[in-house]
Amino acid sequence: MRGAREDSSSSEEGNKELRKPFLNNGSWYKMLGSRQSSIIGSSIQVVKDASVSILFCVLIVALGPIQFGFTCGYSSPTQESIISDLNLSLSEFSLFGSLSNVGAMVGAIVSGQMSEYIGRKGSLIIAAIPNIIGWLAISFAKDSSVLFMGRLLEGFGVGIISYVVPVYIAEISPQNMRGTLGSVNQLSITIGIMLAYLLGLFVNWRALAVLGTLPCAILIPGLFFIPESPRWLAKMGMTDEFETSLQVLRGFDKDISVEVHEIKRSVASTGKAVTVRFADLKMKRYWYPLMVGIGLLVLQQLSGTNGVLFYSSTIFANAGISSSNAATVGLGAIQVIATGLTTWLVDKSGRRLLLIISSSIMTISLLVVSIAFYLEGFTSVDSHQYSILGIVSVVGLVTMIIGYSLGVGPIPWLIMSEILPVNMKGLAGSVATLTNWLTSWMITMTANLLLTWNSAGTFAIYTVLAAFTVAFSAIWVPETKGRTLEEIQFSFR
């Protein structure tokens, strides 16, 4: 009997060891919470402030989406120089641009299960390493094979980042700040895109690739200074670590007992159903959030925004804009400003309303761009009318990006991280992220070729798809503003 008890105890200790997070919370958090701490009072108060603590965590993980955006924006200012230096054809460069999406699809497949097994922070560490290697491979590439390999590697890391970061932010944020903080994910992506555009004006494509390593190089050490997601810790049965993490995030002077009870109740209600079978998907609590999450992430890409962002310099040149690279930088800056506005609006106006307004703006502006490109085909290049149509095209594209940034860009990732049930978040999140990247690959692979074939027809297709997004948002998307993650989950039952 004694031997059996020892074996049982040993087994339990072994299981507990397996459940430890990949990156521990660190004893310094407990030190900060101690009344006996020797840190000067004013310094303690800064750390104890919940908003400062959460903001610091969000700023650290936001380096991942900055890397994401840098990857998206890299191909625009470098197209001509890479094609010239490595003797690539237009179709080969289009393949290079789209390979990040192929790598991201692989990353998306493993992202959900990885983040469930080793935690959110451990997954970001794993994502950062191939990103750094990929950028260095691009920088030193002498032929297309190394160039393509580097693009695949950075795409793999971005695929993991695109799922894990919004989930982590949603899980650490209080309900009244979740929309604002969740929108920081997309804001960081737009900052990364703008940085790629801006730096591309001053450095060559190899130096730009080296600069691309910086976000993840800073992210890795930064992750050691923030706590793991308390909801993940609770799900893994690490009660002490869960409560410590939540206390750090809410502030050491805050009473977290109510939130602790809600999270424990939510975890307990799904504890018996660790996995979801295909037969369970007929239940509304599963098929509805999965359908909304996948639908929004697919429609986000079908509007063609990534095609515009990846090849904006070429589009502006086709529109007759002489300083196409400078116009691209301006486009990136406008996107940052519009997304910044969304971070302020999303917890005030709600997710669903912003999605409807955003997709409506995109539909109208894409229609204007399509008509402008169509009329250019009947106008002399040297005429005054051609210049006016070029300006109309640029204004339409800028308005489209503003519309995208107001809702269709940030909100699908936010809603996906909010509505997926706890016991299927890993699998469903991977599926939703995979479909997003698969659609993105289709758009980026074909956009350059379609624009060369017929710009007006390409934007007409995007117009129809943007209009469908309006209908989908109005009919299917639930409002999640002002509700805890646990309340959202119970609403689907």
Side-chain angles (χ1 to χ4, degrees):
M1 290 295 292
R2 181 181 176 186
R5 282 196 300 269
E6 287 177 353
D7 290 343
S8 175
S9 174
S10 175
S11 175
E12 288 175 4
E13 287 178 3
N15 289 337
K16 187 175 181 180
E17 189 72 27
L18 284 174
R19 290 199 301 266
K20 284 186 177 179
F22 186 69
L23 294 177
N24 203 0
N25 287 327
S27 59
W28 66 278
Y29 292 121
K30 296 180 181 179
M31 178 192 73
L32 288 171
S34 172
R35 299 290 182 182
Q36 307 300 321
S37 176
S38 61
I39 301 175
I40 303 301
S42 60
S43 299
I44 295 177
Q45 191 58 44
V46 171
V47 178
K48 285 182 178 181
D49 189 305
S51 62
V52 172
S53 176
I54 291 171
L55 183 59
F56 177 69
C57 295
V58 171
L59 290 176
I60 291 295
V61 297
L63 290 165
I66 288 176
Q67 176 74 82
F68 180 168
F70 205 91
T71 299
C72 293
Y74 179 79
S75 58
S76 182
T78 59
Q79 177 168 333
E80 291 184 7
S81 55
I82 291 179
I83 287 175
S84 174
D85 290 353
L86 299 182
N87 296 317
L88 302 182
S89 64
L90 179 63
S91 58
E92 285 176 322
F93 186 82
S94 295
L95 176 61
F96 165 73
S98 67
L99 278 177
S100 62
N101 297 297
V102 176
M105 282 187 269
V106 180
I109 292 171
V110 303
S111 62
Q113 295 304 310
M114 180 190 297
S115 67
E116 292 301 302
Y117 183 68
I118 64 173
R120 313 321 188 198
K121 294 202 302 176
S123 299
L124 290 176
I125 284 279
I126 291 176
I129 294 171
N131 256 298
I132 294 172
I133 296 172
W135 281 117
L136 292 176
I138 290 173
S139 178
F140 293 104
K142 300 297 182 183
D143 55 43
S144 60
S145 60
V146 177
L147 190 76
F148 292 165
M149 181 195 72
R151 190 71 167 172
L152 280 169
L153 283 173
E154 69 179 68
F156 174 77
V158 164
I160 298 173
I161 287 169
S162 64
Y163 168 74
V164 176
V165 170
V167 167
Y168 177 81
I169 293 175
E171 290 180 345
I172 69 170
S173 302
Q175 65 188 66
N176 63 322
M177 297 174 64
R178 197 174 61 243
T180 296
L181 295 176
S183 299
V184 171
N185 177 63
Q186 183 67 24
L187 178 62
S188 301
I189 294 173
T190 62
I191 290 172
I193 292 171
M194 187 189 70
L195 286 174
Y197 289 166
L198 181 61
L199 295 172
L201 293 176
F202 304 104
V203 300
N204 64 36
W205 63 274
R206 294 186 187 276
L208 190 62
V210 173
L211 293 173
T213 64
L214 293 179
C216 281
I218 301 170
L219 173 65
I220 293 175
L223 288 169
F224 287 88
F225 294 93
I226 63 175
E228 180 56 270
S229 160
R231 285 179 169 85
W232 180 80
L233 291 169
K235 181 183 176 184
M236 301 303 288
M238 292 179 277
T239 304
D240 291 341
E241 291 89 342
F242 148 57
E243 294 185 9
T244 300
S245 175
L246 190 62
Q247 192 74 73
V248 170
L249 292 166
R250 299 296 179 259
F252 289 105
D253 291 335
K254 298 291 179 65
D255 181 4
I256 60 170
S257 57
V258 173
E259 191 170 2
V260 166
H261 174 71
E262 286 186 359
I263 294 173
K264 285 183 176 179
R265 183 166 67 103
S266 177
V267 169
S269 69
T270 58
K272 294 181 180 179
V274 177
T275 58
V276 178
R277 299 169 299 175
F278 280 106
D280 296 331
L281 293 179
K282 64 184 179 183
M283 300 168 61
K284 183 181 179 182
R285 62 185 291 190
Y286 295 129
W287 71 257
Y288 187 78
L290 186 59
M291 180 271 294
V292 171
I294 292 176
L296 282 176
L297 287 174
V298 168
L299 289 170
Q300 179 196 61
Q301 296 300 328
L302 288 178
S303 62
T305 306
N306 265 0
V308 173
L309 294 175
F310 272 49
Y311 307 113
S312 53
S313 294
T314 302
I315 295 171
F316 285 138
N318 290 343
I321 304 301
S322 56
S323 302
S324 57
N325 285 333
T328 296
V329 174
L331 183 68
I334 289 169
Q335 188 181 15
V336 172
I337 295 169
T339 308
L341 179 62
T342 304
T343 63
W344 176 70
L345 285 174
V346 70
D347 274 326
K348 293 179 170 56
S349 62
R351 284 65 152 154
R352 186 169 171 271
L353 178 61
L354 274 181
L355 270 176
I356 294 171
I357 294 172
S358 168
S359 50
S360 298
I361 293 173
M362 290 181 68
T363 302
I364 295 169
S365 57
L366 283 166
L367 179 62
V368 170
V369 173
S370 177
I371 293 172
F373 273 116
Y374 177 75
L375 294 176
E376 278 185 359
F378 301 96
T379 309
S380 172
V381 177
D382 299 325
S383 67
H384 181 62
Q385 289 83 357
Y386 190 88
S387 299
I388 293 175
L389 289 171
I391 294 172
V392 170
S393 299
V394 171
V395 171
L397 286 173
V398 170
T399 306
M400 173 220 176
I401 293 300
I402 291 173
Y404 175 83
S405 302
L406 286 175
V408 175
I411 291 178
W413 292 109
L414 174 61
I415 288 182
M416 181 272 293
S417 66
E418 292 177 324
I419 68 175
L420 293 180
V422 173
N423 58 326
M424 65 179 294
K425 182 169 278 188
L427 177 60
S430 289
V431 172
T433 308
L434 173 62
T435 54
N436 176 269
W437 282 109
L438 177 60
T439 313
S440 178
W441 172 76
M442 291 167 54
I443 295 296
T444 53
M445 183 64 190
T446 59
N448 224 1
L449 302 174
L450 285 172
L451 289 166
T452 303
W453 163 70
N454 190 318
S455 296
T458 301
F459 283 104
I461 294 170
Y462 295 159
T463 301
V464 173
L465 294 170
F468 187 75
T469 307
V470 178
F472 185 88
S473 301
I475 297 170
W476 292 105
V477 177
E479 182 54 72
T480 58
K481 182 186 97 170
R483 301 158 76 187
T484 66
L485 296 181
E486 289 68 38
E487 288 172 342
I488 294 169
Q489 298 309 313
F490 280 112
S491 71
F492 293 127
R493 299 189 176 187

